[in-house]
Each structure stands twice: as structure tokens, then as C-alpha cells.
Amino acid sequence: MMLKFKLNALALMLALGCGAAHAASDDALIKKGEYLAVAADCTACHTASSTQPFAGGKAIASPVGAIIATNITPSKTDGIGDYSEQQFADALRKGIRADGAHLYPAMPYTAYATLTDDDIHALYAYFMSGVQAVDHPTAQTHLPFPLNLRFSMMFWNALFLKAPGYQPDAAQTASWNRGRYLVEGAAHCSTCHTPRGFLMQEKTADAFTGAQVGSWYAPNITANPVSGIGQWSQQELVTYLRTGRLAGKAQAAGSMAEAITHSFQHLSDADLTAIAEYMQSVPDHTAFASGPARFTQGTPGNNLVAFRGQAFTQPVSDEGARLFSGNCASCHGSSGQGTKDGFYPSLFHNSATAERNSSNLIATILFGVERDTAQGNVFMPPFGAQPNALNHLNDQQVATLSNWILHRYGNQGVTVSPEQVAEIRAGGPSSPLVLLAQFGVAGAVLAAIIVLIWLLWRRKR
Ligand code: HEC
Ligand code: HEC
Ligand code: HEC
């Protein structure tokens, strides 16, 4: 009797001990999943209101129309509460929903395909046990025919989706492999920085050579010293990813500012260094390897001197100078030199004014800059937001001002037209797929193209 009691007590103690150990390992797993969810920036698309993390509802602008990010809280009625770990893995790495329907690649499953089983396991634990369920449905996605046919993604995936998981390169360091794993997978850098082909697929041969992302342009970030960021040191890239600012070279606005605010700034030093190490090994063979890089262009110059003393009521000879003086010089300086601490950046030696693609200069003027990091809030007011505001600039004014800045401080070979400004204001160029879809025959044409490519692809194997 005594012995039995002792044994029972022992069993109980063991069970309790194991329970505690189990809970601790659960906690560690959920923490790991949370870190991965931050690295993967799930919140960027799946959180519409900060009071309801991951409850979805945000419309993700894509060149073929808005796609609504769904509720991925563990809600059983409106979220992914009923997803098994396998179904979760398939949604993340194969773009297949629990009900078998195909997701659009606005959900970056082409990148998340890289995630290892271990990391999927941790993410699943976090979304099931570390996220608050929100019982709230999201609106439906409506794309024009034939893009509304989700099964057509099956063909697209057959052509463009890689096999799940990550194959380490044994010839490289552990840190390089970690960097590549993050860049290609969770951090999904290529979904913005790699140009896309006709069917919206990433052109892998031109990886990281720069691409339009809505109104903004994600520049070439290969290690090419002229077209890319080959002249940046490893530490400089880490600083940029951590703070969004690299004085005398670049600042992050638009979707890069969001990615830094929600994701990259929170990564460990080791992970950011690994990302930088990998990026410094990514080649761009097609571009020149000598000549001025975009960060070295432009010089300061007091271009407002000639303009001083003229009354504002007089018709002005230099409209660009007037616009610059009235709207920009107060922060960026009369010579475009910015402030010494770089809080207000110089407009020369600035990637936004020297990039051949002028989208970021135009978009900065129209939409401003907003970024939150441990260094504080960074804010430049938008000059294109409210048509009735005092500081509203129309398309012609933005073009005139951009050209004035480009000519004095940036890339003199670039010219901005009012039509370009209108396009950036409206959210950027749209895909030829939409044009196709708008013609009556679109469905047939697209289906024929897809079947043709499919057949060719089959034959090649
Ligand atoms: C760039 C935007 C974006 C990011 C980042 C993103 N998602 Fe999504 N996700 C979407 C969109 C849009 C959909 C809906 C797509 C559709 O309807 O075809 C979606 C759908 C899903 C679904 C399917 C849910 C359902 O049943 O409808 C899951 C699961 C999911 N995402 C999980 C995640 C997780 C986990 C992460 C982070 C690791 C993540 N997503 C990051 C945009 C994103
Ligand atoms: C959601 C889209 C998006 C993602 C994801 C993204 N970027 Fe960017 N990135 C941009 C945009 C847009 C810019 C231009 C920002 C600007 O100049 O204001 C940019 C700018 C940059 C720049 C500055 C280049 C220059 O010349 O000014 C670097 C470096 C960079 N990104 C690296 C990365 C890395 C590394 C990753 C992944 C860890 C990444 N980005 C992920 C959109 C993105
Ligand atoms: C109230 C102060 C203020 C005014 C006025 C202002 N800016 Fe800025 N500007 C900023 C700040 C702050 C940043 C972001 C610095 C950073 O990212 O660290 C910025 C960034 C920029 C950038 C770099 C953006 C990028 O993506 O790299 C450009 C270009 C620029 N401003 C041009 C202009 C022009 C043109 C005007 C006039 C229409 C103007 N700014 C007016 C404060 C201002």
C-alpha cells in the first residue's frame, strides 16, 4: 500500500515535471514561430487593423486587381482554426487552401516554398496557440474573368513553383546558407526585387535586378557595383535593413519602409548579417560593372540663388525652383544638401534621385515617407494625397519639380512626364494580363497560351 502510494506519487511528480518541460518546449516553439512570422512579415498583408492581428480584410493591390488577404487567426468559423499542420504547410508552400482551392500568388507561397518542415511546424504552433482567434469574415476576392478561375493557378504552379524545402550549398558557410534561406524564403525579397515575366512569374535569370511594385520601384540589389549595391559594405546593408536609412546612399519608403517597420528591423544581428553576406554574392552578369553607381551621382548646388528676391506674385521664370523652394527646401536645404545627421537626406547621392527608373522620386513626392523603427518615427508629408490641401501638387507640377531635381541633384539622363506621374498616382502600371482580360477573347487566348506552355514544358521533361 505504502509502496503503491509512493509509486503513484512518483508517477504524478514525473507527469508534472514532464508537463512543465513540455510547456516550456511549447513556449520555445511558439516563440520560434512568432520570430518566423515576423521574418516572413505575415502581418503586412493579413493585418488590416492593429487591434485585430492577422484577422485579414486588407486588399492587396496586384497588377491584375485587388486580392483580399484572408483571416488567418485560429478562429474555427472565419479563420484557419480547422487547418491541420499538413493543410497549413500546403497553403504556405504549395498555395493550396484547406478546401483544395488554389491561392493567388499575391500570397507569396512561391517564396515560402523554401520553408523547412521544422519552421512550418513552429509557424503552425504559433498561429494555433500564440495568436488570438478573431471571429470575423473577410470580403471575397473578385478578379475579372479568366483570372477568377482559381484552377488556372494549377498550370502556373506546374511551370513556376519549386519543390518545397531548402537545399543547403555545402560549399558555402553556414551563415551564407542561413542568409539565402531567409532571402529566398521567409523574407521573400525576390517577390519585390525580381522582375516578372508576361505571366507574372519571377524571371529567375534576372533575380534581384529590380522591379516595379505598384507605385514604387524595388531597385537592383545584386552585388553588381554599378547597377546594384556591390559598393555597399556588409555593415551598410545591415544598417539599411535595421533602420531604413543609409546616409549619402538610400532611404526606405513605400513597401520597403513597411517591410523594415514590421519585419527586418526585428531580426537578430546574426540573421541580418547572414542576409547581407548572401546578397553580396548575388551576381548581375547582364549589367555594366564599371561606371558611376546611382549612389554617387549629383552634387550640391545653390540653385535657388538666382531666384532670390523675386516676388511670389510675379510670374516666375523657373517654375521648378519655385516649387522646390516652396515645398522642399525647408527640410532638404536650399542646396539639396539635407541635414548633417541625415535626418533630412541630401537629394544628391540618393538612390531615389539617381535611379534610371524615376518611380521612387515621383512616389516620394506624391505619397511621402513613413517608417517606424527603434530610432523613432520618420515622416515626410505627402504632396499628392488630398486634392484640396494647400500643399497639393498636380501631375504637371510634380513632373516639373522632378525634372528640376533630377537635372540638378540626380540623374540628368532621366525625364519625368505628367503622364508618368498620373500612372504612379493611380498605383503604378498594370499588367498586360489585365488588358488581355478586358478583351472578350481574353479567356480563350490566355487558356490557349497556358495550355501551349504547359505542353511545351511537358515535352521538355
Ligand atoms: C504579400 C502579402 C501576404 C503575405 C506577406 C502573407 N500572405 Fe497569406 N495570403 C495573402 C493573400 C492575398 C491571401 C488570399 C489569397 C487568395 O485568396 O487567393 C492569403 C492566404 C493565406 C492563407 C489561406 C487562408 C484561407 O483559408 O483562405 C494562409 C493559411 C496564409 N495566407 C498564411 C500566411 C502566413 C502564415 C504568412 C506568413 C508566413 C502569410 N500568409 C503571409 C497574402 C499574404
Ligand atoms: C514588399 C516589397 C519589398 C520586399 C519584400 C523587399 N523590398 Fe527592398 N525595396 C523595396 C522598395 C519598393 C524599395 C525602394 C525604396 C525606396 O527607395 O524608397 C526597396 C529598396 C531596397 C534597398 C535599397 C536599394 C537602393 O538602391 O536604394 C535595399 C538594399 C533592399 N531594398 C534590400 C532588400 C532585401 C535584402 C530584402 C529582403 C530581406 C528586401 N529588400 C525586401 C521593396 C521590397
Ligand atoms: C517636413 C520635412 C520634409 C519636406 C517638406 C520634404 N521632405 Fe523629403 N524627406 C523628408 C524625410 C524625413 C525623408 C525620409 C528620410 C529617411 O528616410 O530617413 C525624406 C525623403 C525624401 C527623399 C528620399 C526618398 C527615398 O525613397 O529614398 C526624396 C527624394 C525627397 N524626400 C524629396 C522631397 C521633395 C522633392 C520634397 C518637396 C516636394 C520634399 N522631399 C519635401 C522630409 C521632408
Side-chain angles (χ1 to χ4, degrees):
M1 171 77 198
M2 196 62 174
L3 184 71
K4 198 172 169 199
F5 173 78
K6 273 192 179 152
L7 277 177
N8 277 344
L10 191 70
L12 187 70
M13 275 163 65
L14 273 174
L16 280 176
C18 282
H22 191 67
S25 77
D26 273 3
D27 280 353
L29 188 65
I30 292 171
K31 270 257 161 322
K32 178 178 169 190
E34 182 176 14
Y35 181 83
L36 285 162
V38 169
D41 207 1
C42 313
T43 215
C45 302
H46 287 282
T47 302
S49 144
S50 58
T51 56
Q52 298 191 326
F54 305 114
K58 200 165 166 179
I60 309 303
S62 91
V64 296
I67 298 172
I68 314 287
T70 38
N71 181 332
I72 56 166
T73 70
S75 158
K76 291 208 176 278
T77 46
D78 303 297
I80 59 170
D82 283 333
Y83 268 62
S84 68
E85 184 166 334
Q86 187 57 50
Q87 287 170 329
F88 181 76
D90 287 348
L92 260 67
R93 299 196 296 197
K94 297 184 182 158
I96 298 176
R97 236 165 40 185
D99 66 0
H102 283 268
L103 297 171
Y104 296 112
M107 159 72 187
Y109 61 86
T110 48
Y112 297 155
T114 307
L115 291 168
T116 58
D117 291 346
D118 273 0
D119 281 356
I120 292 277
H121 181 62
L123 277 164
Y124 183 71
Y126 170 64
F127 275 98
M128 291 303 142
S129 313
V131 171
Q132 191 77 41
V134 178
D135 298 328
H136 193 277
T138 54
Q140 296 285 318
T141 294
H142 294 289
L143 291 188
F145 176 82
L147 301 166
N148 59 344
L149 304 175
R150 284 182 180 268
F151 71 82
S152 63
M153 294 312 305
M154 216 162 73
F155 302 107
W156 194 90
N157 290 342
L159 291 170
F160 306 124
L161 183 62
K162 61 178 206 121
Y166 178 72
Q167 295 301 330
D169 182 343
Q172 301 284 352
T173 64
S175 164
W176 183 96
N177 273 300
R178 173 72 180 165
R180 178 172 181 198
Y181 174 67
L182 287 168
V183 164
E184 290 186 349
H188 60 279
C189 315
S190 72
T191 59
C192 295
H193 285 275
T194 295
R196 287 175 189 268
F198 180 73
L199 291 174
M200 298 299 301
Q201 81 282 16
E202 287 176 24
K203 293 194 202 159
T204 41
D206 297 336
F208 303 110
T209 57
Q212 192 77 31
V213 197
S215 298
W216 300 84
Y217 183 73
N220 184 320
I221 53 167
T222 66
N224 185 294
V226 177
S227 57
I229 55 171
Q231 293 186 29
W232 293 23
S233 70
Q234 197 164 308
Q235 186 50 49
E236 283 181 321
L237 183 50
V238 170
T239 301
Y240 180 87
L241 293 172
R242 172 91 59 218
T243 68
R245 177 187 297 154
L246 195 56
K249 287 196 171 68
Q251 301 77 38
S255 44
M256 189 65 191
E258 284 174 32
I260 288 170
T261 297
H262 299 302
S263 177
F264 305 149
Q265 67 159 320
H266 302 293
L267 296 187
S268 68
D269 282 332
D271 278 350
L272 287 186
T273 307
I275 288 176
E277 180 180 343
Y278 171 65
M279 288 315 301
Q280 288 192 312
S281 74
V282 174
D284 173 4
H285 299 300
T286 55
F288 295 113
S290 66
R294 55 182 178 272
F295 319 100
T296 58
Q297 302 200 18
T299 47
N302 195 337
N303 299 297
L304 296 183
V305 168
F307 174 69
R308 290 234 171 94
Q310 289 187 29
F312 273 96
T313 47
Q314 303 275 307
V316 281
S317 50
D318 189 345
E319 174 69 0
R322 188 184 74 83
L323 289 168
F324 182 77
S325 165
N327 296 299
C328 322
S330 58
C331 291
H332 292 287
S334 58
S335 307
Q337 79 279 22
T339 48
K340 278 236 164 58
D341 61 0
F343 187 79
Y344 297 126
S346 65
L347 296 182
F348 46 89
H349 294 191
N350 187 326
S351 134
T353 59
E355 169 57 50
R356 270 174 303 164
N357 180 311
S358 53
S359 299
N360 291 347
L361 174 59
I362 301 171
T364 300
I365 298 174
L366 291 175
F367 308 118
V369 181
E370 187 156 22
R371 209 174 55 236
D372 272 303
T373 63
Q375 287 71 35
N377 175 268
V378 166
F379 181 74
M380 164 171 153
F383 290 84
Q386 315 94 342
N388 299 321
L390 268 180
N391 63 355
H392 177 79
L393 300 177
N394 64 31
D395 295 345
Q396 180 61 59
Q397 288 171 317
V398 173
T400 304
L401 174 60
S402 298
N403 289 328
W404 191 88
I405 290 174
L406 285 165
H407 196 73
R408 280 157 191 84
Y409 302 127
N411 190 331
Q412 301 199 350
V414 177
T415 310
V416 171
S417 70
E419 290 73 29
Q420 250 173 305
V421 178
E423 185 176 66
I424 298 295
R425 198 191 286 271
S430 71
S431 160
L433 276 185
V434 181
L435 285 180
L436 262 186
Q438 279 161 1
F439 291 108
V441 288
V445 173
L446 192 69
I449 294 174
I450 289 174
V451 169
L452 196 70
I453 296 178
W454 167 245
L455 286 176
L456 286 174
W457 182 78
R458 286 283 298 259
R459 178 131 0 120
K460 259 208 314 222
R461 298 195 351 148

